[in-house]
Amino acid sequence: MADLPALQRFVAETGRSWDRTTVLDEGVPFEHALNLCRARSSVLVRNAPVAELARGLAGWRRTLVVAESLGGPTERRSTVDPAEAVNRLWRSPELLCLADVEFAVEPEGWALPDDRFANRDGMVATTEVRALALARLAPRPGVLVWDVGAGPGAVGIECARLGAAVLAVERDPVQVVRIIANAATHHVDVRIVEAELADAVAHLPRPDAIFVGGGGAAAVAACAAVGARRVVVAMPELDRAVPSRDVLRDAGYAVEGTLLSSARLVGSVTTATNPVLVLWGTRT
């Protein structure tokens, strides 16, 4: 394997900063490494399983720079997209996975104010809902979170700010534009699938956690069948509570829930927000 000066030179010659590159040594679990490549703009994977990582990056906008036998007399470098990397054999590879643009996740808190997200007439998961959802989703570096019925993408973007890889499923093209704008505003990368969940679910990578913000009972059922460790469902319609709970229980989840109703202090006046029921299911 290449020594540190050779690795630093390799990164510098791609135009990226060593200090802002995540370096993963051999032995890091594969899914953890893959999700970091999905979430961060510059990731160096030592002695990388290039083809397998490239296969998992399908759908993410990434460029792979592969150095074979780095620092040796037979050193060779290739710049490829993931689709090309899948079909090649690699010799002693060091892999640099690059997003199109550099972005840095340096969150100062979470559950941001509602107006930090472009939305349609206040149709956004509120600060209070996001605070509870984030606590139950447990987003962190190395995991993948789905944001289903994402709307303007506030929950998914909050997860990305905390280091998770995020895939947003949203059928409304106007909301998709909002997700793109909100992700850019908060300097994170979110993969967007513009489709009905039922049409896309079979082709999506398996997540660690799922937030269901839209799509009704059918979306909850489809998500429960995926097998993620955590599923969180937010619903303003209380008549959906029992069917959603039953679907999660039948899929093997231990289910809890809270009805959130808050009164915000604005100046000297309190203003009530609409109540939202949040259910979460956990698998051990």
Side-chain angles (χ1 to χ4, degrees), residues 197-239:
L197 178 65
D199 298 331
V201 66
H203 309 290
L204 301 180
R206 185 180 180 278
D208 299 283
I210 305 174
F211 177 77
V212 185
V220 177
C223 290
V226 169
R229 185 173 181 185
R230 300 177 181 86
V231 178
V232 178
V233 185
M235 60 194 84
E237 307 90 351
L238 300 187
D239 58 348

Side-chain angles (χ1 to χ4, degrees), residues 215-266:
V220 177
C223 290
V226 169
R229 185 173 181 185
R230 300 177 181 86
V231 178
V232 178
V233 185
M235 60 194 84
E237 307 90 351
L238 300 187
D239 58 348
R240 287 174 47 197
V242 172
S244 296
R245 179 203 63 188
D246 291 347
V247 163
L248 291 171
R249 283 182 175 175
D250 291 346
Y253 289 91
V255 183
E256 300 176 81
T258 295
L259 179 64
L260 289 178
S261 181
S262 62
R264 296 179 175 177
L265 182 63
V266 181

Side-chain angles (χ1 to χ4, degrees), residues 68-139:
E68 299 176 85
S69 302
L70 181 65
T74 60
E75 177 181 328
R76 184 176 70 172
R77 298 193 193 184
S78 305
T79 301
V80 296
D81 62 30
E84 181 182 350
V86 167
N87 299 313
R88 288 178 56 173
L89 296 175
W90 302 96
R91 175 172 42 86
S92 301
E94 312 284 3
L95 169 66
L96 189 60
C97 178
L98 302 175
D100 293 344
V101 296
E102 284 194 271
F103 45 84
V105 181
E106 297 176 354
E108 295 181 1
W110 52 89
L112 300 174
D114 300 349
D115 61 9
R116 294 283 298 275
F117 300 94
N119 63 81
R120 178 176 59 204
D121 301 325
M123 297 298 291
V124 62
T126 64
T127 295
E128 296 81 5
V129 169
R130 278 181 276 118
L132 180 56
L134 291 168
R136 301 311 178 193
L137 291 167

Side-chain angles (χ1 to χ4, degrees), residues 31-194:
E31 289 294 335
H32 186 88
L34 174 58
N35 285 325
L36 287 174
C37 288
R38 289 166 169 167
R40 298 187 175 180
S41 57
S42 180
V43 180
L44 176 63
V45 186
R46 308 290 313 276
N47 197 24
V50 177
E52 292 84 351
L53 287 171
R55 191 172 292 110
L57 288 168
W60 273 265
R61 297 185 303 276
R62 294 293 183 270
T63 298
L64 307 181
V65 184
V66 184
E68 299 176 85
S69 302
L70 181 65
T74 60
E75 177 181 328
R76 184 176 70 172
R77 298 193 193 184
S78 305
T79 301
V80 296
D81 62 30
E84 181 182 350
V86 167
N87 299 313
R88 288 178 56 173
L89 296 175
W90 302 96
R91 175 172 42 86
S92 301
E94 312 284 3
L95 169 66
L96 189 60
C97 178
L98 302 175
D100 293 344
V101 296
E102 284 194 271
F103 45 84
V105 181
E106 297 176 354
E108 295 181 1
W110 52 89
L112 300 174
D114 300 349
D115 61 9
R116 294 283 298 275
F117 300 94
N119 63 81
R120 178 176 59 204
D121 301 325
M123 297 298 291
V124 62
T126 64
T127 295
E128 296 81 5
V129 169
R130 278 181 276 118
L132 180 56
L134 291 168
R136 301 311 178 193
L137 291 167
R140 59 196 184 280
V143 304
L144 173 63
V145 178
W146 288 3
D147 185 0
V148 174
V155 171
I157 288 166
E158 292 257 35
C159 290
R161 293 179 68 248
L162 294 170
V166 175
L167 187 155
V169 182
E170 175 54 55
R171 67 181 181 180
D172 182 347
V174 177
Q175 294 285 45
V176 166
V177 172
R178 290 192 179 97
I179 297 171
I180 294 169
N182 285 325
T185 295
H186 293 283
H187 308 291
V188 296
D189 190 34
V190 173
R191 177 186 167 190
I192 302 170
V193 176
E194 185 179 337

